[in-house]
Amino acid sequence: MAELTPELAREPAAEPAVWRSHGRTRRSTRTLRVRTSAVIVTAVVLAVLVVPPLAHLDQQAVDLSMKLRPPSLAHPFGTDDVGRDLLLRCVYGLRVSLLVGLVAALVATFIGTAVGAAAAAFGGWTDRVVMRLVDTFSSIPHLLLGIFIVAMFRPGVWPVIVSVALTHWLSTARIVRSEVLSLRSRPYIDAAVSGGASRWRVAVRHLLPGVLPQAGLAAVLMVPHAMWHESALSFLGLGLPTHQASLGNLVQSARSSLLAGDWWPTLFPGLLLIIPTLAIAGLAGSWRERINPRRRSELML
């Protein structure tokens, strides 16, 4: 038994070292993920802002002699079914899809923040009626409701933005409402009310700053969701006009090429939808850890 005593004495000290090593591995993985996401998002933003003004090429230029050429040095993404450079088309398509996603996310966040804050601030029957309306609209699939809204207008950018914004504010309204209700129970809110602060002053000075981080996070997470929604509508032929480059239109126009064995017209627009989505999700996960560090175990994406 005397020989086992040193080993037993060393066992408790080994467990914390393992946990520390595991924690360092998780932190390094999280740091690598955030840096990679930041590099991808920066590259996407620079591409959509810099390439179109500097490129002296017409992304609509047709050259049937270069029809469906595979990726090469002259055309890194290949060409489409009428000989247009697919890299330039993808950059323009990403520019349009990202614009739709950003504007729609901002509008949806504004609507959701206003509705959720009003429901929580007034309370009572107003809160119940507003949230029942939110539940009712949430029960309708977003895509079906978006198709109904887009069908009332001619194809274009703004009908798609309106469709996405009017179908994606519901989750933001729930988040803002719950956050406002949580803030209203804080002691400093009671102290402000007891000190004679008006409802408007309490909302502007205390409630709104506490809600903005959650609303901003919801807006960031909504951008890739809006891009996918626009792509789905364009793929169905109900979004942007077919001659206008967007990621959804590029995937839709490449269906026949894919069936013929030409993979590049579908692959690269699809990657430009998936990779920015993962990058934005990685940055949003880091942001969520900062504003709510107690839930880090739930945020490992």
Side-chain angles (χ1 to χ4, degrees), residues 7 12 28 37 51-52 67 86 94 139 153 169 213-214 217 220 222 230 270 290:
E7 298 178 1
S28 61
S37 300
V51 172
K67 175 181 177 180
L86 196 58
L94 180 61
S139 64
F153 304 94
W169 60 270
Q214 295 290 345
L217 178 61
V220 171
M222 203 179 301
E230 177 275 323
R290 289 180 179 275

Side-chain angles (χ1 to χ4, degrees), residues 229-257:
H229 196 90
E230 177 275 323
S231 299
L233 290 174
S234 298
F235 182 81
L236 294 174
L238 299 171
L240 302 180
T242 55
H243 68 274
Q244 187 170 5
S246 73
L247 296 180
N249 280 339
L250 292 177
V251 174
Q252 194 275 341
S253 62
R255 289 185 302 171
S256 58
S257 302

